[in-house]
């Protein structure tokens, strides 16, 4: 997942952040300067993470807000007639201090949060919301922007400047600038309440994830689990003061292999039930009421803005445009996915029967019997593959791909401030040796890190004094942490995830726009650069470069490569169905025209699945109470974006394959020029057509997933 800045206040709606130093390290030295209030004297100007303490954030943020208020006042009330430079560009370049602090503040709270920082994010949420509204609802400022917008034909602007003007005007209209005063007042209230609820949802989900522990005391209950998972479980238990026992958690690197390999059905049920019940335990971290309020307030906001529902409001500036188009895509994929899942269920049910277990296969059985059927069909055990996917070799492999495609290089930087002690840093250089940016990578889970994987930034690419300011990018993951003294060996899914997030990083590193307001592509386009990179991860030509046995250095043997290729489409019924169900659920919430006062979200969720004849054994990838993509913001009425972008990425990779060379330099050059570099200076589909020469269709996607 890619996290990007927002127009005008960069990073404001991104993830709330935390500093990497605990509260007890606060300084009382009155001479000490707040690092945010002086220029960063660090390699490549990265944030001085080790110097930042929690008490630095709030005063720097408030000063940044004050500075931007003064800048806005000067723009709005100047006597000079409004023009592109003194109004639109001046607005785009305002708030530099605030954007710098926010980039660190929001990024760190995702990767290394604390109770103090979560409290600060809640405290500042209404402040951020009010500041954004003060800008978007400033009548004098909007009058100047509208004047420039209405007279744009006389300005002879180039493509990038025209797009900035259009995006700025549209952002103000979508921000409520055209509403009457009474509706603007209500919009302010709604924005503040929604922002706080989204933060609350995410914090509740993190707490629920961290609070659950499956404690195993009897060694016999570890049956079926791989040795590396057992070793990590023992270390977690030891850290928790339960030496001699094993603890498994709801973090993906723990729960997913446990479900995949544990021979103890009752334990699979216990941990999977804990996973499904996050945010639904009727405790202080329960999210049911949060979801109800969010859906209700979003619906009210959409109607206030003149839309029939929130989906219509959200999709208005995306590629999909309408909910009808989203549902059409999801339906086109859902029908073959459900058919394939039913076929898979027959095989899994038969395998369970062979184990002497009667009755229906359950949701906590799926991954376990999927693994057994795959081994029976293809003689492939994922644990055979892991020894060839050593973490360091995998990212060497993705660097190799980037070098072959674009000529860029990555060199590790040892002496540079890091956002966390676990992070590593690289300098990225273009083929001519010029600096493109800094890339951080942070791989393993911890209680202070939210789940999943994402790409964010500590500085966005822009221009200053005519020179390109290089981005500082971060890739954050939650991969299986190795036991002490052991190497980190990835699963197939984790290796693909690394390539995915690296695709987002390339999108940021290659960015070359002059204005913040044209940097962001639509939500349903942003996953194209990431998902297309996944295609190279397991190409035989690439595997030969990085898939080396961690002990012997031997290449992955040809028979294993062949088995991996044959099994590549296995299980796609399950994988596609759980994703599409979550996408349906997200959209179903946000096409509601009226929200009942006592809205039962669990009943609504069940009805959404039942009306599509979903299999009970396959719950949505994210249930309502831990669906942070939509309820935490970012992908609200937008979780379909991964599938929408998959249509594009499958078709885009075909462009390489059609040349007979997956590293074809001409095709790579066009992809960089038309997709990775220009931000959104053109309509997203127009950019894609310039790259591909035609619009995409769903056929390559369905073939790739083995659904056609």
């Amino acid at each position: 997942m890619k996290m990007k800045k927002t127009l005008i206040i960069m990073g404001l709606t991104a993830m709330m952040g935390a500093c990497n130093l605990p509260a007890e390290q606060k300084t009382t030295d009155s001479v000490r300067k707040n690092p945010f209030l002086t220029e960063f004297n660090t390699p490549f100007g990265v944030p001085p993470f080790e110097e930042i303490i929690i008490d630095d954030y709030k005063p720097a943020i408030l000063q940044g807000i004050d500075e931007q208020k003064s800048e806005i006042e000067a723009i709005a009330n100047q006597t000079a007639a409004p023009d592109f430079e003194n109004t639109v560009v001046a607005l785009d370049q305002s708030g530099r201090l605030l954007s710098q602090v926010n980039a660190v503040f929001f990024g760190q709270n995702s990767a290394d949060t604390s109770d103090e920082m979560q409290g600060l994010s809640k405290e500042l949420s209404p402040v951020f919301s009010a500041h954004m509204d003060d800008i978007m609802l400033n009548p004098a400022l909007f009058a100047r922007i509208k004047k420039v917008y209405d007279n744009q034909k006389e300005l002879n602007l180039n493509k990038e400047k025209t797009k900035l003007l259009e995006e700025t005007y549209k952002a103000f209209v979508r921000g409520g600038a055209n509403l009457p005063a009474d509706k603007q007042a209500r919009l302010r209230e709604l924005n503040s309440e929604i922002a706080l609820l989204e933060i609350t949802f995410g914090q509740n989900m993190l707490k629920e994830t961290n609070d659950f522990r499956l404690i195993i005391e009897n060694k016999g209950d570890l049956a079926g689990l791989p040795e590396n998972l057992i070793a990590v479980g023992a270390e977690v238990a030891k850290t928790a003061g339960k030496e001699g026992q094993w603890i498994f958690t709801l973090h993906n690197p723990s729960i997913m292999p446990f479900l995949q390999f544990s021979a103890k059905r009752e334990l699979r049920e216990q941990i999977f039930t804990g996973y499904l019940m996050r945010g639904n335990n009727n405790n202080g971290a329960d999210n049911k009421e949060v979801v109800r309020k969010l859906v209700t307030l979003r619906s009210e906001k959409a109607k206030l803005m003149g839309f029939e529902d929130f989906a219509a409001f959200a999709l208005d500036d995306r590629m999909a445009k309408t909910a009808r188009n989203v549902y059409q895509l999801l339906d086109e994929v859902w029908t073959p996915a459900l058919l394939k899942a039913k076929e898979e269920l027959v095989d899994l049910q038969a395998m369970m029967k062979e184990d002497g277990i009667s009755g229906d296969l359950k949701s906590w059985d799926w991954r376990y019997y999927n693994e057994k059927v795959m081994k029976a069909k293809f003689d492939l055990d994922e644990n055979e593959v892991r020894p060839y996917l050593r973490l360091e070799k995998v990212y060497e492999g993705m660097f190799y791909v980037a070098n072959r495609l674009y000529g860029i290089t990555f060199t590790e930087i040892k002496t540079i401030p890091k956002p966390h002690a676990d992070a590593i840093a690289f300098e990225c250089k273009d083929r001519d040796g010029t600096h493109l940016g800094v890339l951080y990578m942070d791989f393993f889970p911890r209680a202070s890190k939210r789940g999943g994987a994402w790409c964010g930034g500590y500085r966005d690419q822009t221009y200053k004094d005519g020179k390109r300011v290089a981005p500082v990018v971060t890739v954050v993951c939650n991969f299986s942490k190795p036991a002490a003294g052991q190497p980190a060996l990835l699963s197939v899914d984790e290796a693909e995830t690394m390539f995915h997030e690296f695709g987002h990083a390339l999108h940021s590193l290659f960015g070359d726009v002059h204005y913040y307001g044209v940097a962001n592509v639509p939500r349903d386009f942003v996953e194209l650069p990431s998902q297309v990179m996944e295609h190279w991860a397991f190409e035989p030509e690439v595997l030969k470069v990085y898939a080396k046995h961690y002990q012997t250095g031997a290449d992955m043997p040809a028979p294993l490569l062949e088995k991996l290729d044959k099994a590549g489409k296995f299980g796609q019924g399950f994988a596609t169905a759980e994703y599409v169900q979550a996408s349906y659920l997200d959209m179903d919430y946000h096409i509601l025209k009226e929200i009942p006062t006592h809205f039962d979200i669990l009943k609504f969720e069940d009805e959404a699945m039942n009306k599509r004849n979903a299999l009970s054994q396959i719950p949505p990838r994210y249930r309502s109470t831990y669906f942070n993509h939509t309820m935490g913001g970012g992908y609200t009425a937008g979780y379909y974006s991964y599938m929408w972008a998959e249509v594009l990425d499958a078709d885009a990779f075909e462009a390489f394959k059609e040349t007979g060379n997956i590293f074809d330099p001409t095709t790579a050059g066009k992809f960089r020029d038309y997709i990775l570099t220009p931000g959104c200076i053109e309509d997203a589909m127009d950019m894609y057509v310039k790259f591909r020469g035609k619009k995409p269709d769903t056929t390559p996607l369905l073939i790739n997933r083995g659904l056609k």
Side-chain angles (χ1 to χ4, degrees), residues 214-219 222 230 233-234 237 244-248:
L214 175 64
I215 302 174
I216 292 180
E217 300 177 359
N218 184 349
K219 191 172 184 178
L222 302 172
I230 293 173
Q245 300 179 25
W246 298 265
I247 291 180
F248 301 93

Side-chain angles (χ1 to χ4, degrees), residues 264-281:
K264 295 294 183 177
R265 192 184 190 204
E266 67 279 7
L267 295 180
R268 296 199 306 268
E269 178 181 5
Q270 187 177 337
I271 196 169
F272 195 59
T273 300
Y275 184 81
L276 293 178
M277 291 298 291
R278 287 178 295 169
N280 184 25
N281 291 305

Side-chain angles (χ1 to χ4, degrees), residues 285-346:
D286 195 277
N287 269 331
K288 292 192 289 295
E289 181 63 11
V290 177
V291 172
R292 188 195 68 77
K293 288 180 179 178
L294 271 172
V295 174
T296 302
L297 294 176
R298 287 171 178 168
S299 177
E300 183 184 349
K301 176 177 177 176
K303 290 177 181 177
L304 192 70
M305 297 301 299
F307 293 85
E308 62 177 356
D309 53 49
F310 192 83
F313 173 69
L315 294 169
D316 184 56
D317 65 347
R318 296 182 188 160
M319 291 183 74
K321 302 302 182 187
T322 67
R324 179 180 179 181
N325 290 337
V326 173
Y327 280 113
Q328 182 176 335
L329 170 65
L330 296 178
D331 290 346
E332 192 170 344
V333 177
W334 172 248
T335 300
L338 183 60
L339 180 62
K340 178 65 72 174
K342 288 179 178 178
E343 293 174 1
E344 293 168 0
L345 178 59
V346 172

Side-chain angles (χ1 to χ4, degrees), residues 169-233:
Y169 177 77
K170 183 168 63 176
F172 272 76
V173 172
R174 287 177 62 81
N178 277 331
L179 294 176
D182 60 330
K183 290 188 176 181
Q184 286 188 353
R186 179 55 183 154
L187 181 62
R188 285 176 177 271
E189 294 172 351
L190 289 170
N191 286 339
S192 181
E193 291 179 61
I194 289 170
L196 185 57
L197 285 167
E198 289 175 347
I199 292 170
T200 301
F201 184 95
Q203 292 182 0
N204 285 347
M205 193 189 83
L206 180 62
K207 186 176 189 307
E208 288 278 270
T209 300
N210 285 336
D211 283 353
F212 181 93
R213 300 188 305 175
L214 175 64
I215 302 174
I216 292 180
E217 300 177 359
N218 184 349
K219 191 172 184 178
D221 287 337
L222 302 172
L225 298 179
E227 288 301 319
N228 67 310
L229 186 64
I230 293 173
V232 172

Side-chain angles (χ1 to χ4, degrees), residues 49-117:
F49 296 104
E50 290 92 343
E51 298 177 19
I52 298 169
I53 62 173
I54 192 169
D55 286 351
D56 291 330
Y57 287 105
K58 184 175 178 180
I61 286 169
L62 295 180
Q63 181 169 326
I65 288 174
D66 287 342
E67 287 184 9
Q68 190 171 34
K69 282 182 177 179
S70 297
E71 292 165 344
I72 297 299
E73 177 114 358
I75 298 168
N77 299 324
Q78 63 186 301
T79 56
D83 61 31
F84 181 76
E85 290 293 332
N86 71 19
T87 299
V88 180
V89 174
L91 173 62
D92 184 78
Q93 299 299 306
S94 70
R96 284 185 178 267
L97 171 60
L98 181 60
S99 67
Q100 176 61 84
V101 185
N102 283 348
V104 182
F105 179 64
F106 298 145
Q108 289 297 86
N109 194 31
S110 293
D112 193 22
T113 192
S114 65
D115 291 342
E116 294 86 357
M117 223 38 196

Side-chain angles (χ1 to χ4, degrees), residues 212 225 229 248-262 268 270-276 278 367:
F212 181 93
L225 298 179
L229 186 64
F248 301 93
T249 72
L250 299 184
H251 296 284
N252 270 13
S254 182
I255 182 176
M256 293 308 165
F258 190 94
L259 292 170
Q260 194 174 353
F261 295 109
S262 174
R268 296 199 306 268
Q270 187 177 337
I271 196 169
F272 195 59
T273 300
Y275 184 81
L276 293 178
R278 287 178 295 169
R367 288 173 176 83

Side-chain angles (χ1 to χ4, degrees), residues 525-565:
F525 188 82
V526 77
E527 296 298 335
L528 166 60
S530 57
Q531 292 180 184
V532 77
M533 278 300 296
E534 295 178 31
H535 291 273
W536 277 273
F538 288 95
E539 282 289 314
E541 188 175 349
V542 179
L543 283 170
K544 288 178 182 177
V545 172
Y546 78 85
K548 310 286 186 182
H549 196 282
Y550 79 99
Q551 290 174 316
T552 67
D555 292 343
M556 185 180 289
L560 184 55
L561 269 171
E562 185 178 350
K563 288 191 287 185
L564 192 61
D565 182 61

